Amino acid sequence: MALGLQLRRQVLAELLLCVCVGRWAEAGKVLVVPMEGSHWLSMREVVRELHTRGHQSVVIAPEVNMHIKAEDFFTVKAYAVPYTQDKFDSLVKTHEQLLFERVHFVTMFLKTMASLKTASLLFARSCEALLYNKDLIRDLNASSFDVVLTDPVYPCGAVLAKYLSIPAVFFLRFIPCDLDAEATACPNPFSYVPRLLTKNPDHMAFFQRVKNMLYPLALKYICLVAFTPYAQMASELLQREVSLGEILASGSVWLFRRDFVMDYPRPIMPNMVFIGGINCANRKPLSQVCTAAFIQSVLPVEHILLIKDILKTFPPHCKVGPCSEMDGSNH
């Protein structure tokens, strides 16, 4: 598994440059426009791999952020934003507290919507500060980047790629309201593909299919609040009416941090690539002691003897020590 993840990162690193540029680029230049939070932590590993393969990455980030800090495998270009670090931290703290509150569903929904509006406004203002920074845009335009790597759940990178006429590679988990399917013209039948948060199985009865069709309508309001400002900014920059769907449709490759092992099967298009597990860290294998303790707790006695015989066939170097050496437990 560790080898598979390593190879997947290497292939992904070349895919970013080669698929969009149309050649096996050497010392390619990547403009990275990340989403804040855990989204960046996943993308960061891809940027690291690009560096090890000789490519240059420039990360665009607001001066006020959570995790995007300068490191030796990429260059940061920071831009000023019209809010303070204290305000940003307060927003993050408020959102975290909502996750642990035990209140009525309606109360939770209203509080979540209020928090979402505040966060959406803040991110939109950050994007506006980037897109209308003439000096920074001029510098980026003159730098001749080969590709933009961005998470389209924060559409600012997609708008920037369209504005600068640079091929875009989208690195994401999903986008609400099925915007990924709309942008890629991918079949997305309500009768067969379970929608987000419905908890429907992949084989749905009639009423489950009805729920599957109606449930996403509640998300339309969220998308309207969160994404409309980016379509407006894109229209102003491109000097023509443009929708967010059109902006996202210009993406060359969609890299989904998903896998059909964890998600239900669904139709995909040729430029949609599933890279589930790309952000998983490699871990040491469990020792025989840990494995035996686990199977003894969950398997019948008659199966345990057979598995112990199988474990005896492992070579000595597979024995990495008792559980206490690995996880600090006393079991």
Side-chain angles (χ1 to χ4, degrees):
M1 179 178 178
L3 178 60
L5 290 176
Q6 182 179 1
L7 291 175
R8 188 173 291 186
R9 286 195 179 101
Q10 293 175 354
V11 171
L12 175 59
E14 290 296 351
L15 179 65
L16 293 175
L17 270 297
C18 307
V19 144
C20 296
V21 179
R23 61 185 174 85
W24 290 96
E26 294 184 1
K29 298 183 68 175
V30 185
L31 179 61
V32 184
V33 187
M35 173 61 176
E36 183 57 90
S38 60
H39 301 259
W40 161 244
L41 298 181
S42 298
M43 186 181 289
R44 176 177 173 272
E45 297 308 309
V46 177
V47 175
R48 184 195 298 274
E49 182 64 31
L50 286 168
H51 174 75
T52 62
R53 301 178 73 80
H55 304 301
Q56 177 186 352
S57 296
V58 175
V59 178
I60 301 296
E63 291 179 346
V64 175
N65 65 77
M66 186 187 307
H67 296 304
I68 308 172
K69 310 301 179 184
E71 298 190 58
D72 57 2
F73 55 90
F74 62 84
T75 301
V76 174
K77 284 188 178 293
Y79 59 92
V81 289
Y83 52 85
T84 64
Q85 186 72 50
D86 289 341
K87 184 174 182 179
F88 180 77
D89 292 342
S90 176
L91 176 65
V92 172
K93 185 177 180 180
T94 300
H95 182 72
E96 290 175 347
Q97 290 174 342
L98 279 176
L99 299 176
F100 297 97
E101 286 190 12
R102 293 187 177 183
V103 295
H104 190 272
F105 170 78
V106 175
T107 303
M108 176 60 72
F109 178 80
L110 294 176
K111 286 188 174 182
T112 302
M113 288 300 99
S115 177
L116 174 65
K117 286 183 178 180
T118 303
S120 298
L121 176 61
L122 184 141
F123 285 120
R125 293 172 67 188
S126 174
C127 183
E128 190 176 57
L130 166 60
L131 296 177
Y132 292 96
N133 187 324
K134 294 182 179 180
D135 292 336
L136 179 57
I137 295 297
R138 189 183 304 111
D139 181 48
L140 296 177
N141 209 13
S143 298
S144 301
F145 288 100
D146 296 306
V147 64
V148 172
L149 174 63
T150 186
D151 190 329
V153 76
Y154 176 52
C156 194
V159 174
L160 180 63
K162 184 77 171 178
Y163 183 47
L164 297 179
S165 299
I166 302 174
V169 171
F170 296 146
F171 183 87
L172 70 156
R173 180 69 174 85
F174 65 88
I175 304 181
C177 305
D178 300 317
L179 285 172
D180 52 343
E182 177 186 334
T184 56
C186 181
N188 192 33
F190 287 98
S191 296
Y192 299 100
V193 181
R195 291 302 186 262
L196 179 69
L197 303 177
T198 61
K199 299 183 180 179
N200 282 337
D202 55 341
H203 291 79
M204 291 177 279
F206 173 75
F207 286 107
Q208 288 174 321
R209 294 182 182 186
V210 172
K211 175 185 177 182
N212 205 50
M213 183 177 66
L214 297 178
Y215 206 82
L217 295 179
L219 296 178
K220 292 295 183 181
Y221 174 72
I222 297 178
C223 293
L224 183 66
V225 171
F227 295 141
T228 297
Y230 301 97
Q232 294 173 345
M233 282 184 273
S235 298
E236 291 178 7
L237 290 171
L238 299 175
Q239 298 182 350
R240 63 181 178 86
E241 193 68 26
V242 60
S243 67
L244 184 60
E246 181 182 345
I247 293 295
L248 296 178
S250 62
S252 298
V253 180
W254 294 67
L255 302 173
F256 289 91
R257 300 194 308 276
R258 308 171 65 169
D259 197 288
F260 289 152
V261 173
M262 298 294 293
D263 296 288
Y264 289 124
R266 51 166 288 186
I268 61 173
M269 300 301 280
N271 64 338
M272 300 169 73
V273 182
F274 283 72
I275 56 169
I278 194 70
N279 56 326
C280 295
N282 296 325
R283 290 291 183 262
K284 295 180 180 179
L286 289 175
S287 69
Q288 291 186 11
V289 175
C290 292
T291 306
F294 171 74
I295 62 177
Q296 189 169 358
S297 66
V298 298
L299 294 179
V301 175
E302 58 269 22
H303 293 169
I304 295 175
L305 296 177
L306 174 60
I307 295 179
K308 284 185 176 180
D309 289 337
I310 295 174
L311 292 174
K312 290 179 182 178
T313 65
F314 289 176
H317 67 268
C318 290
K319 300 177 181 180
V320 295
C323 299
S324 59
E325 294 180 8
M326 299 175 60
D327 58 14
S329 66
N330 295 320
H331 300 293

